[in-house]
Amino acid sequence: MRYVLMICLMASIGSCNNKAAKDNNSNAVTTPKCIKAMITKFEKEPKQNPPRKIYRYSFNESVVYYVPALCCDMFSDLYSNDCTLLGHPDGGITGKGDRTLPDFTTEKKEEQLVWQDKR
C-alpha cells in the first residue's frame, strides 16, 4: 500500500486518481444507462424537498432501483435493471402503493444509495 501511495505522489495526481478509481470500481455493480439518464433528467428539474434519491436493492434475486415518492400521496417507483417500471411499492393515499409489490418492503436487501440530489 505504501509503495502504491509513493508511486502516486511521484506521478501526476490525475493519472493516479483515474487508475485508483478504475481499480476500486472493478467489482462494483455498474449503474445502467437508463438510470444515469434518469439522474440527468432529475438534475435538470427544479430542486425538490426532500431531495430526490435513487436506491439500488436486491429483490427477488434481481437488481432493482427504487425512486422514493416526491410527496405524501404520490407513489414511489420501482424499476428493473433495464428500467422497466415494475410497480409502486409504497406511497399513494393508503401509503401501500399500487399493491403490486406488497413484499418489497420486507424482502428488499443490500440497500445502496446510488444518487442523491445535493443542490
Side-chain angles (χ1 to χ4, degrees), residues 60-117:
N60 290 342
E61 299 181 25
S62 298
V63 173
V64 295
Y65 293 86
Y66 173 75
V67 181
L70 288 174
C71 187
C72 27
D73 290 340
M74 299 173 78
F75 288 132
S76 62
D77 298 324
L78 189 68
Y79 295 94
S80 66
N81 202 37
D82 66 357
C83 290
T84 300
L85 181 63
L86 300 173
H88 309 287
D90 55 26
I93 294 173
T94 65
K96 296 181 180 183
D98 63 1
R99 300 177 190 252
T100 59
L101 299 159
D103 59 342
F104 176 71
T105 303
T106 57
E107 299 296 321
K108 64 185 179 185
K109 300 175 189 165
E110 301 172 15
E111 178 179 285
Q112 181 179 1
L113 179 63
V114 173
W115 174 81
Q116 177 178 337
D117 192 344

Side-chain angles (χ1 to χ4, degrees), residues 9 19 38 58 63-64 78 80 118:
L9 289 174
K19 173 92 170 87
M38 188 181 300
S58 174
V63 173
V64 295
L78 189 68
S80 66
K118 299 202 186 247

Side-chain angles (χ1 to χ4, degrees), residues 1 7 12 16 26-28 33-34 37 41 43 67 70 74 78 81 85 104 110 115 118-119:
M1 181 68 172
I7 291 172
S12 81
C16 284
S26 63
N27 293 327
K33 289 180 183 179
C34 54
K41 177 181 171 266
E43 289 173 335
V67 181
L70 288 174
M74 299 173 78
L78 189 68
N81 202 37
L85 181 63
F104 176 71
E110 301 172 15
W115 174 81
K118 299 202 186 247
R119 294 180 284 170

Side-chain angles (χ1 to χ4, degrees), residues 31-47:
T31 302
K33 289 180 183 179
C34 54
I35 296 296
K36 290 178 182 178
M38 188 181 300
I39 291 168
T40 300
K41 177 181 171 266
F42 289 164
E43 289 173 335
K44 292 178 182 178
E45 294 175 352
K47 177 180 160 183

